[in-house]
Amino acid sequence: KILSDKDCELLKYINRIESEKKLVIKEEGSDLTYEVFGDKVFNIFNLFEYGVPVSAKVSASTGEILSIEGPTWLKVINFLFV
């Protein structure tokens, strides 16, 4: 399967979704959204993986990422690991 640009953008924030994680579909007013729960995994010197729980809210109609929820410190250091 070939990923769209919007799918690739989501992978910047969530790069591991395990089977016990959930995908929740919600109707907010007239908009349909889904929330993806997963982990942003950092590979430190190819020796250690550190996963941080992150969730993303995505518009079901456009595929646009509406919001990203995670620890505040992740937003500060995320640019180091992209």
XYZ file of all heavy atoms in Angstrom:
658
model
N 0.843 -1.184 0.000
C 0.000 0.000 0.000
C 0.883 1.240 0.000
O 1.886 1.315 0.702
C -0.896 -0.006 1.237
C -1.816 1.171 1.305
C -2.712 1.104 2.516
C -3.553 2.351 2.542
N -4.390 2.422 3.699
N 0.503 2.222 -0.772
C 1.229 3.492 -0.838
C 0.535 4.477 0.092
O -0.679 4.642 0.040
C 1.251 4.036 -2.273
C 1.984 3.044 -3.175
C 1.901 5.397 -2.315
C 1.932 3.396 -4.628
N 1.328 5.136 0.920
C 0.767 6.087 1.876
C 0.613 7.455 1.234
O 1.451 7.888 0.453
C 1.689 6.213 3.094
C 1.868 4.961 3.938
C 2.914 5.223 5.017
C 0.564 4.549 4.567
N -0.462 8.139 1.596
C -0.656 9.506 1.120
C 0.231 10.449 1.924
O 0.825 10.072 2.936
C -2.124 9.913 1.273
O -2.438 10.090 2.635
N 0.322 11.692 1.467
C 1.109 12.690 2.183
C 0.587 12.909 3.595
O 1.354 13.102 4.524
C 1.103 14.024 1.430
C 1.862 13.957 0.120
O 2.708 13.045 -0.018
O 1.609 14.801 -0.756
N -0.736 12.845 3.764
C -1.325 13.056 5.084
C -1.024 11.890 6.012
O -0.808 12.079 7.195
C -2.821 13.303 4.960
C -3.108 14.630 4.275
C -4.562 14.919 4.153
C -4.729 16.243 3.418
N -6.078 16.635 3.274
N -0.982 10.664 5.468
C -0.603 9.505 6.279
C 0.845 9.637 6.737
O 1.175 9.329 7.876
C -0.761 8.202 5.494
C -2.206 7.880 5.162
O -3.086 8.327 5.917
O -2.436 7.201 4.158
N 1.694 10.087 5.847
C 3.112 10.258 6.181
C 3.295 11.335 7.245
O 4.161 11.214 8.106
C 3.917 10.605 4.941
S 4.054 9.243 3.777
N 2.478 12.375 7.187
C 2.549 13.422 8.204
C 2.186 12.872 9.577
O 2.818 13.196 10.572
C 1.619 14.573 7.826
C 1.703 15.740 8.781
C 0.778 16.882 8.384
O 0.270 16.892 7.258
O 0.578 17.755 9.233
N 1.184 11.998 9.635
C 0.783 11.386 10.899
C 1.906 10.519 11.454
O 2.111 10.454 12.662
C -0.495 10.567 10.714
C -1.066 9.897 11.953
C -1.419 10.939 13.014
C -2.285 9.078 11.602
N 2.668 9.864 10.581
C 3.762 9.004 11.031
C 4.895 9.791 11.692
O 5.697 9.216 12.407
C 4.308 8.192 9.856
C 3.383 7.091 9.359
C 3.984 6.428 8.125
C 3.114 6.069 10.435
N 4.967 11.104 11.462
C 5.958 11.920 12.165
C 5.669 11.939 13.661
O 6.570 12.072 14.467
C 5.925 13.366 11.663
C 6.439 13.558 10.278
C 6.339 15.034 9.928
C 6.619 15.300 8.486
N 6.433 16.733 8.158
N 4.398 11.825 14.011
C 3.979 11.945 15.402
C 3.727 10.594 16.070
O 3.961 10.444 17.263
C 2.711 12.799 15.498
C 2.893 14.165 14.915
C 2.394 14.477 13.661
C 3.603 15.144 15.597
C 2.570 15.741 13.114
C 3.787 16.403 15.062
C 3.271 16.691 13.818
O 3.456 17.929 13.276
N 3.207 9.628 15.333
C 2.919 8.300 15.885
C 3.561 7.276 14.962
O 3.160 7.140 13.810
C 1.403 8.040 15.971
C 0.739 9.048 16.894
C 1.141 6.619 16.453
C -0.769 8.919 16.956
N 4.577 6.574 15.443
C 5.234 5.606 14.570
C 5.087 4.170 15.047
O 5.691 3.277 14.481
C 6.696 5.963 14.324
C 7.497 6.179 15.578
O 7.024 5.927 16.668
N 8.711 6.657 15.421
N 4.262 3.946 16.082
C 3.946 2.571 16.472
C 2.535 2.533 17.051
O 2.220 3.241 17.995
C 4.934 2.044 17.508
C 4.584 0.618 17.926
C 5.588 -0.069 18.804
N 6.204 0.787 19.777
C 7.245 0.418 20.527
N 7.771 -0.775 20.378
N 7.756 1.236 21.398
N 1.697 1.703 16.431
C 0.348 1.464 16.928
C 0.255 -0.025 17.180
O 0.404 -0.826 16.264
C -0.724 1.908 15.914
C -0.585 3.400 15.626
C -2.112 1.592 16.435
C -1.488 3.898 14.528
N 0.045 -0.401 18.432
C -0.024 -1.813 18.783
C -1.467 -2.276 18.823
O -2.392 -1.471 18.859
C 0.680 -2.031 20.122
C 2.153 -1.674 20.047
C 2.873 -1.827 21.368
O 2.263 -2.304 22.332
O 4.045 -1.462 21.411
N -1.646 -3.566 18.821
C -2.996 -4.132 18.732
C -3.884 -3.743 19.910
O -5.099 -3.661 19.764
C -2.921 -5.649 18.612
O -2.266 -6.194 19.733
N -3.302 -3.489 21.078
C -4.147 -3.124 22.214
C -4.508 -1.633 22.225
O -5.320 -1.195 23.025
C -3.494 -3.520 23.543
C -2.217 -2.795 23.866
C -0.972 -3.529 23.382
O -1.079 -4.579 22.756
O 0.125 -3.010 23.631
N -3.900 -0.866 21.347
C -4.248 0.555 21.239
C -5.564 0.685 20.491
O -5.966 -0.191 19.743
C -3.154 1.339 20.505
C -1.801 1.273 21.164
C -1.775 2.014 22.457
C -0.353 1.953 23.037
N -0.215 2.651 24.256
N -6.221 1.803 20.654
C -7.554 1.969 20.090
C -7.584 3.020 18.986
O -6.762 3.912 18.933
C -8.534 2.402 21.178
C -8.777 1.371 22.228
C -9.804 1.862 23.201
C -10.087 0.817 24.258
N -11.079 1.278 25.214
N -8.575 2.865 18.148
C -8.942 3.862 17.154
C -10.394 4.216 17.460
O -11.271 3.357 17.379
C -8.807 3.298 15.746
C -9.251 4.214 14.619
C -8.271 5.367 14.473
C -9.335 3.443 13.331
N -10.634 5.450 17.847
C -11.962 5.871 18.283
C -12.546 6.819 17.240
O -11.905 7.797 16.857
C -11.886 6.585 19.659
C -13.263 7.048 20.094
C -11.268 5.673 20.695
N -13.757 6.516 16.779
C -14.448 7.370 15.824
C -15.493 8.182 16.580
O -16.263 7.643 17.361
C -15.115 6.530 14.723
C -14.044 5.746 13.969
C -15.905 7.416 13.771
C -14.585 4.752 12.984
N -15.485 9.505 16.360
C -16.391 10.417 17.082
C -17.096 11.331 16.092
O -16.543 11.672 15.052
C -15.606 11.294 18.059
C -14.931 10.567 19.178
C -14.200 11.550 20.064
C -13.476 10.835 21.192
N -12.749 11.780 22.045
N -18.285 11.749 16.463
C -18.998 12.768 15.704
C -19.036 14.019 16.564
O -19.597 14.020 17.653
C -20.413 12.307 15.370
C -21.144 13.260 14.469
C -22.490 12.734 14.047
O -22.834 11.595 14.375
O -23.216 13.501 13.387
N -18.415 15.079 16.069
C -18.363 16.348 16.803
C -19.111 17.384 15.984
O -18.574 17.918 15.014
C -16.915 16.763 17.045
C -16.162 15.783 17.919
C -14.703 16.155 18.103
O -14.234 17.089 17.439
O -14.056 15.502 18.928
N -20.339 17.654 16.382
C -21.186 18.546 15.592
C -21.528 17.864 14.283
O -22.095 16.779 14.256
N -21.155 18.483 13.179
C -21.407 17.877 11.867
C -20.154 17.210 11.301
O -20.176 16.700 10.186
C -21.902 18.948 10.894
O -20.902 19.932 10.717
N -19.052 17.218 12.057
C -17.798 16.645 11.589
C -17.561 15.260 12.184
O -17.836 15.021 13.360
C -16.612 17.543 11.982
C -16.684 18.900 11.314
O -17.202 18.965 10.194
O -16.216 19.877 11.925
N -17.041 14.372 11.368
C -16.680 13.038 11.818
C -15.162 12.995 11.949
O -14.439 13.344 11.017
C -17.156 11.996 10.806
C -17.046 10.541 11.210
C -17.898 10.265 12.446
C -17.486 9.646 10.073
N -14.681 12.618 13.130
C -13.241 12.547 13.372
C -12.893 11.187 13.948
O -13.762 10.477 14.440
C -12.775 13.630 14.361
O -13.409 13.432 15.616
C -13.062 15.026 13.849
N -11.629 10.842 13.850
C -11.174 9.655 14.562
C -9.901 9.986 15.313
O -9.146 10.872 14.924
C -11.020 8.445 13.645
C -10.038 8.577 12.510
C -8.726 8.165 12.650
C -10.437 9.069 11.278
C -7.828 8.258 11.614
C -9.550 9.163 10.231
C -8.248 8.753 10.399
O -7.363 8.852 9.358
N -9.724 9.308 16.421
C -8.568 9.537 17.270
C -7.719 8.271 17.268
O -8.209 7.178 17.504
C -9.009 9.897 18.690
C -7.904 10.468 19.521
C -8.412 11.159 20.774
O -9.624 11.165 21.026
O -7.566 11.691 21.509
N -6.450 8.454 16.961
C -5.500 7.351 16.873
C -4.599 7.409 18.104
O -4.031 8.455 18.406
C -4.634 7.467 15.601
C -3.652 6.327 15.508
C -5.502 7.549 14.367
N -4.494 6.285 18.810
C -3.631 6.196 19.984
C -2.434 5.322 19.641
O -2.584 4.250 19.071
C -4.391 5.583 21.168
C -5.536 6.423 21.634
C -6.811 6.230 21.119
C -5.344 7.415 22.574
C -7.876 6.997 21.538
C -6.406 8.199 23.005
C -7.667 7.984 22.481
N -1.257 5.785 19.980
C -0.049 5.015 19.696
C 1.136 5.571 20.459
O 0.976 6.282 21.454
N 2.322 5.264 19.967
C 3.558 5.715 20.606
C 4.463 6.391 19.597
O 4.525 5.976 18.439
C 4.335 4.532 21.195
C 3.624 3.886 22.356
O 2.978 4.610 23.133
O 3.723 2.658 22.498
N 5.148 7.413 20.039
C 6.258 7.985 19.289
C 7.491 7.309 19.865
O 7.803 7.452 21.041
C 6.318 9.504 19.479
C 7.550 10.160 18.919
C 7.577 10.111 17.428
C 8.781 10.882 16.905
N 8.916 10.795 15.484
N 8.169 6.522 19.050
C 9.308 5.741 19.526
C 10.600 6.414 19.089
O 10.795 6.697 17.908
C 9.251 4.291 18.981
C 10.455 3.502 19.456
C 7.961 3.619 19.404
N 11.464 6.659 20.063
C 12.777 7.224 19.794
C 13.811 6.115 19.870
O 13.842 5.353 20.823
C 13.130 8.306 20.827
C 12.206 9.483 20.781
C 11.199 9.633 21.708
C 12.343 10.436 19.788
C 10.346 10.709 21.666
C 11.496 11.522 19.729
C 10.491 11.662 20.672
N 14.635 6.024 18.859
C 15.713 5.045 18.827
C 16.990 5.780 19.236
O 17.490 6.623 18.505
C 15.847 4.466 17.413
C 16.803 3.320 17.358
O 17.501 3.038 18.307
N 16.838 2.662 16.222
N 17.509 5.440 20.396
C 18.657 6.150 20.955
C 19.916 5.338 20.684
O 20.114 4.268 21.262
C 18.461 6.399 22.464
C 17.169 7.194 22.661
C 19.656 7.121 23.057
C 16.703 7.296 24.078
N 20.731 5.851 19.756
C 22.008 5.241 19.374
C 21.858 3.795 18.903
O 22.769 2.994 19.037
C 23.022 5.306 20.519
C 23.298 6.692 21.000
C 23.001 7.050 22.299
C 23.840 7.646 20.163
C 23.247 8.328 22.761
C 24.087 8.931 20.611
C 23.798 9.274 21.910
N 20.711 3.455 18.352
C 20.426 2.080 17.902
C 20.623 1.036 19.004
O 20.826 -0.139 18.723
C 21.264 1.705 16.684
C 20.776 2.376 15.436
O 19.599 2.690 15.315
N 21.668 2.608 14.502
N 20.585 1.461 20.253
C 20.749 0.551 21.387
C 19.492 0.421 22.222
O 19.236 -0.614 22.816
C 21.887 1.034 22.295
C 23.276 1.089 21.675
C 24.252 1.763 22.635
C 23.744 -0.316 21.347
N 18.725 1.489 22.272
C 17.593 1.543 23.190
C 16.426 2.244 22.513
O 16.618 3.269 21.865
C 18.023 2.305 24.454
C 16.960 2.433 25.488
C 16.536 1.332 26.211
C 16.373 3.658 25.745
C 15.541 1.449 27.165
C 15.385 3.787 26.698
C 14.973 2.675 27.407
N 15.237 1.693 22.636
C 14.031 2.343 22.133
C 13.223 2.873 23.316
O 13.030 2.171 24.303
C 13.167 1.367 21.342
C 13.719 1.028 19.992
C 12.744 0.206 19.176
O 11.727 -0.279 19.719
O 13.013 0.045 17.978
N 12.791 4.110 23.181
C 11.987 4.733 24.229
C 10.679 5.194 23.606
O 10.673 6.023 22.691
C 12.745 5.920 24.839
C 12.010 6.573 25.979
C 11.904 5.931 27.212
C 11.410 7.807 25.823
C 11.219 6.522 28.255
C 10.726 8.404 26.870
C 10.633 7.754 28.079
O 9.960 8.338 29.116
N 9.546 4.643 24.061
C 8.238 4.985 23.531
C 7.504 5.971 24.412
O 7.497 5.839 25.632
N 6.896 6.962 23.781
C 6.121 7.986 24.482
C 4.681 7.904 23.972
O 4.457 7.949 22.760
C 6.692 9.388 24.196
C 5.888 10.457 24.895
C 8.152 9.465 24.596
N 3.686 7.757 24.865
C 2.296 7.678 24.406
C 1.824 9.000 23.797
O 2.034 10.070 24.369
C 1.507 7.345 25.669
C 2.412 7.605 26.806
C 3.816 7.631 26.303
N 1.222 8.898 22.609
C 0.746 10.063 21.864
C -0.599 9.708 21.234
O -0.839 8.556 20.886
C 1.753 10.433 20.750
C 1.277 11.623 19.944
C 3.120 10.738 21.328
N -1.463 10.705 21.089
C -2.713 10.496 20.361
C -2.886 11.631 19.356
O -2.423 12.748 19.574
C -3.913 10.433 21.303
O -4.123 11.678 21.923
N -3.550 11.315 18.256
C -3.792 12.310 17.208
C -5.267 12.283 16.843
O -5.864 11.217 16.711
C -2.944 12.008 15.988
N -5.854 13.462 16.678
C -7.234 13.576 16.220
C -7.198 13.978 14.749
O -6.536 14.946 14.376
C -7.991 14.626 17.023
C -9.473 14.675 16.703
C -10.196 15.752 17.467
C -10.251 15.401 18.937
N -11.074 16.361 19.696
N -7.884 13.181 13.896
C -7.820 13.352 12.448
C -9.233 13.503 11.895
O -10.148 12.790 12.309
C -7.129 12.124 11.807
C -7.036 12.281 10.295
C -5.762 11.890 12.409
N -9.400 14.411 10.943
C -10.685 14.572 10.270
C -10.911 13.387 9.348
O -10.064 13.051 8.525
C -10.689 15.863 9.453
O -11.819 15.913 8.616
N -12.069 12.737 9.468
C -12.374 11.581 8.631
C -12.678 11.996 7.199
O -12.453 11.231 6.273
C -13.546 10.809 9.217
N -13.149 13.198 6.985
C -13.516 13.627 5.635
C -12.327 14.137 4.832
O -12.235 13.890 3.635
C -14.611 14.689 5.689
O -14.169 15.811 6.418
N -11.391 14.832 5.487
C -10.264 15.417 4.747
C -8.932 14.729 5.031
O -7.982 14.906 4.277
C -10.102 16.906 5.090
O -9.764 17.035 6.478
C -11.372 17.681 4.784
N -8.831 13.993 6.133
C -7.562 13.376 6.509
C -6.611 14.333 7.197
O -5.485 13.977 7.526
N -7.051 15.551 7.447
C -6.221 16.568 8.087
C -6.036 16.248 9.570
O -6.975 15.847 10.252
C -6.899 17.929 7.947
C -6.187 19.064 8.634
C -6.962 20.368 8.547
O -8.059 20.395 7.978
O -6.449 21.358 9.082
N -4.811 16.417 10.064
C -4.536 16.241 11.491
C -5.035 17.477 12.217
O -4.560 18.586 11.965
C -3.038 16.021 11.747
C -2.562 14.761 11.033
C -2.760 15.932 13.240
C -1.067 14.554 11.089
N -5.997 17.285 13.115
C -6.603 18.403 13.833
C -5.840 18.752 15.104
O -5.718 19.918 15.457
C -8.060 18.085 14.157
C -8.942 17.767 12.950
C -10.319 17.323 13.406
C -9.033 18.966 12.035
N -5.350 17.720 15.812
C -4.584 17.989 17.034
C -3.737 16.778 17.377
O -4.036 15.656 16.989
C -5.504 18.333 18.207
O -6.290 17.213 18.561
N -2.659 17.048 18.107
C -1.761 16.026 18.607
C -1.676 16.201 20.117
O -1.442 17.305 20.599
C -0.338 16.170 18.018
C -0.369 16.112 16.495
C 0.605 15.137 18.596
C -0.654 14.761 15.923
N -1.896 15.111 20.853
C -1.804 15.148 22.310
C -0.631 14.287 22.763
O -0.499 13.148 22.323
C -3.088 14.616 22.950
C -4.324 15.426 22.643
C -4.309 16.791 23.281
O -3.798 16.911 24.409
O -4.798 17.736 22.648
N 0.204 14.850 23.597
C 1.347 14.135 24.143
C 1.992 14.985 25.214
O 1.527 16.091 25.513
N 3.068 14.507 25.803
C 3.749 15.292 26.829
C 4.285 16.611 26.255
O 4.690 16.666 25.089
C 4.913 14.404 27.267
C 4.658 13.063 26.698
C 3.701 13.216 25.574
N 4.295 17.627 27.068
C 4.775 18.937 26.635
C 6.236 18.884 26.205
O 6.610 19.481 25.199
C 4.600 19.969 27.763
O 3.236 19.964 28.184
C 4.982 21.350 27.305
N 7.046 18.127 26.922
C 8.472 18.071 26.590
C 8.706 17.438 25.228
O 9.717 17.713 24.577
C 9.267 17.335 27.661
C 8.857 15.908 27.873
C 7.971 15.435 28.792
C 9.305 14.765 27.143
N 7.838 14.081 28.680
C 8.657 13.633 27.677
C 10.198 14.574 26.097
C 8.864 12.349 27.194
C 10.403 13.292 25.617
C 9.749 12.201 26.169
N 7.768 16.626 24.747
C 7.913 15.991 23.437
C 7.898 17.033 22.324
O 8.649 16.931 21.356
C 6.807 14.964 23.232
C 6.811 14.219 21.910
C 8.095 13.411 21.758
C 5.601 13.319 21.812
N 7.072 18.049 22.472
C 6.999 19.110 21.469
C 8.314 19.877 21.392
O 8.709 20.341 20.329
C 5.860 20.063 21.798
C 4.502 19.408 21.711
C 3.410 20.322 22.173
C 2.086 19.570 22.216
N 1.023 20.350 22.799
N 9.007 19.986 22.507
C 10.252 20.744 22.554
C 11.399 19.982 21.893
O 12.163 20.545 21.121
C 10.611 21.096 24.021
C 11.962 21.771 24.104
C 9.530 21.956 24.634
N 11.501 18.677 22.161
C 12.652 17.930 21.638
C 12.345 17.096 20.397
O 13.235 16.450 19.854
C 13.258 17.004 22.710
C 12.272 15.900 23.086
C 13.731 17.768 23.904
C 12.944 14.742 23.747
N 11.122 17.117 19.916
C 10.742 16.288 18.774
C 11.581 16.600 17.537
O 11.894 15.703 16.761
C 9.255 16.455 18.468
C 8.740 15.376 17.557
O 9.193 14.239 17.625
N 7.809 15.722 16.722
N 11.982 17.850 17.345
C 12.750 18.212 16.166
C 14.125 17.533 16.140
O 14.720 17.382 15.073
C 12.906 19.733 16.076
C 13.863 20.307 17.087
C 15.190 20.505 16.767
C 13.417 20.657 18.353
C 16.073 21.034 17.693
C 14.284 21.185 19.276
C 15.617 21.372 18.950
N 14.625 17.091 17.259
C 15.931 16.414 17.296
C 15.890 15.029 16.687
O 16.900 14.513 16.207
C 16.442 16.312 18.737
C 16.745 17.619 19.446
C 17.079 17.348 20.909
C 17.894 18.332 18.775
N 14.711 14.401 16.683
C 14.594 13.010 16.272
C 13.813 12.812 14.973
O 13.531 11.693 14.599
C 13.932 12.197 17.381
C 14.757 12.127 18.631
C 14.551 13.021 19.665
C 15.765 11.195 18.752
C 15.321 12.964 20.808
C 16.541 11.134 19.896
C 16.314 12.025 20.928
N 13.459 13.881 14.282
C 12.695 13.742 13.038
C 13.611 13.371 11.897
O 14.699 13.744 11.771
C 11.928 15.043 12.722
C 11.260 14.968 11.374
C 10.920 15.304 13.800
